[in-house]
Amino acid sequence: MPAEVPPTAPSGFLSRLHDGLRKTRDGLRQKLEGLFVGVPLDEATLEILEEALLSSDLGPATTAAILEPARAAFRRQGITTVEAMRDLLAERVAELLQVGPPPRPPLSPPHVTLFLGVNGSGKTTTIAKLAKRHRDAGEAVLLAAGDTFRAAAIEQLQIWGRRIGADVIAHKPGADPAAVVFDSCKAATARKVQRLLIDTAGRLHTRQNLMEELKKMHRVIAREVPGAPHETLLVLDATTGLNVIAQAREFHQAVGVTGLVIAKLDGTAKGGAVVAIAQALQIPVRYVGVGEAPDDLQPFDPREFATALFS
Ligand code: GDP
């Protein structure tokens, strides 16, 4: 069943998602110019539609999965208007996005989230945005500067921590990230904070070492906080389109990703990739980033996304 619109959605929530998907929608619209109003539905229309979906980076498998029920309905003359077709497509996209289980709540705080992603994907910004959401909800938040490989990453997190009102556990550049994780788990438990958000390195050039490092961090978290990490979020750059799937698989194999964050959705016309990525990995999208400001993070709702894509 597609999810309902959350009753707690802040005002402007839908319009920001709508804005964030503007480039993707414009791309689709250009291809579908005039198609959705008063055009008779025929095989040629379906072909135009297929081409448009492919161009928004949905990929061949997902495009086929989206169009299959629409084609079937068309052939048995279950739908006759393009508007009805659009509604059917939106419903199908929402359905395809319903993958994986919902996030696990902690038995007792802290709720621990481990963040993964290659450098530049938008990981630090996402951590800051999410920390702000939790702070705004009145929760105590602790951040852990687990990317000890880059001094700038530690500093960036500390700057965000000051802005948002969240303490940051950090060691010197070059320190063992597992030690940062250990200290942050101890501190989060001792200080009884509700949320611990852990940053990790995302260097691409020493991948094997990175995956081993992440596994070790994951083990330390699991040992120090029962049931943790409650979420392992992989941050992906939407502007990279479908190319991120291989990268995501590697992270997933190493530590088991439980949710995706699609950052920079506002910067791409390839927003359809969100559907293809969730499909290929069978991992749910938890949040989308629709801008650089601290409030530009939206909890992901498949139905809203699908509606905003075709509206
Ligand atoms: P990290 O290396 O993965 O930690 O990446 P950063 O968090 O430093 O982000 C890299 C760049 O992407 C920065 O300039 C961010 O401001 C920008 N960025 C992150 N998320 C978004 C987003 O949702 N939309 C836009 N437009 N830019 C973003």
Side-chain angles (χ1 to χ4, degrees):
M1 278 293 290
E4 297 292 327
V5 175
T8 51
S11 63
F13 173 90
L14 288 174
S15 71
R16 286 224 295 281
L17 178 66
H18 205 264
D19 288 349
L21 274 169
R22 189 174 48 78
K23 286 189 182 163
T24 300
R25 205 173 37 248
D26 285 353
L28 270 177
R29 192 174 290 151
Q30 263 173 25
K31 296 262 175 0
L32 299 175
E33 196 93 61
L35 206 60
F36 282 146
V37 271
V39 172
L41 207 53
D42 54 20
E43 290 285 351
T45 320
L46 287 172
E47 263 170 43
I48 298 173
L49 207 51
E50 179 169 19
E51 215 175 280
L53 295 177
L54 285 170
S55 72
S56 73
D57 229 8
L58 278 152
T62 306
T63 297
I66 293 172
L67 281 178
E68 190 189 273
R71 279 214 172 92
F74 166 68
R75 290 198 175 128
R76 61 166 196 273
Q77 295 176 335
I79 49 170
T80 49
T81 67
V82 177
E83 285 83 354
M85 164 70 84
R86 181 180 59 187
D87 292 347
L88 198 70
L89 292 179
E91 207 160 293
R92 181 69 175 146
V93 164
E95 206 177 277
L96 290 173
L97 283 164
Q98 310 270 352
V99 294
R104 280 184 309 131
L107 293 174
S108 60
H111 183 284
V112 183
T113 306
L114 182 67
F115 286 83
L116 314 171
V118 301
N119 289 341
S121 61
K123 186 157 37 76
T124 314
T125 314
T126 299
I127 294 172
K129 289 170 175 174
L130 199 56
K132 181 168 187 303
R133 284 187 78 86
H134 294 316
R135 291 291 298 131
D136 288 349
E139 294 182 318
V141 179
L142 189 66
L143 306 178
D147 182 0
T148 58
F149 196 74
R150 293 183 304 157
I154 302 174
E155 282 163 27
Q156 202 187 344
L157 204 66
Q158 285 169 325
I159 292 167
W160 276 116
R162 279 196 291 277
R163 276 177 66 179
I164 287 156
D167 285 342
V168 180
I169 301 294
H171 289 192
K172 289 196 171 68
D176 181 358
V180 178
V181 165
F182 178 83
D183 282 357
S184 67
C185 288
K186 287 281 185 222
T189 307
R191 298 180 199 179
K192 296 189 167 49
V193 300
Q194 280 97 350
R195 302 278 175 175
L196 170 60
L197 309 184
I198 302 174
D199 191 14
T200 60
R203 53 186 187 274
L204 270 177
H205 52 287
T206 53
R207 242 185 211 175
Q208 192 51 36
N209 290 346
L210 175 62
M211 295 305 155
E212 291 309 315
E213 179 178 306
L214 294 175
K215 284 184 199 168
K216 187 173 166 193
M217 293 168 90
H218 197 275
R219 280 197 303 272
V220 172
I221 298 168
R223 202 178 60 214
E224 295 307 315
V225 180
H230 306 92
E231 272 274 49
T232 301
L233 292 181
L234 174 63
V235 181
L236 299 171
D237 179 344
T239 63
T240 326
L242 287 174
N243 296 331
V244 297
I245 291 179
Q247 189 190 93
R249 284 215 167 94
E250 211 172 330
F251 280 103
H252 190 41
Q253 270 163 15
V255 285
V257 174
T258 61
L260 304 174
V261 179
I262 312 291
K264 310 188 202 177
L265 197 58
D266 53 306
T268 181
K270 297 178 173 180
V274 172
V275 192
I277 293 166
Q279 265 292 294
L281 301 167
Q282 289 291 300
I283 299 173
V285 180
R286 297 275 195 240
Y287 296 94
V288 288
V290 291
E292 292 184 89
D295 286 323
D296 291 334
L297 187 76
Q298 307 274 315
F300 186 74
D301 181 275
R303 180 148 285 247
E304 278 163 17
F305 179 87
T307 307
L309 193 64
F310 291 107
S311 64

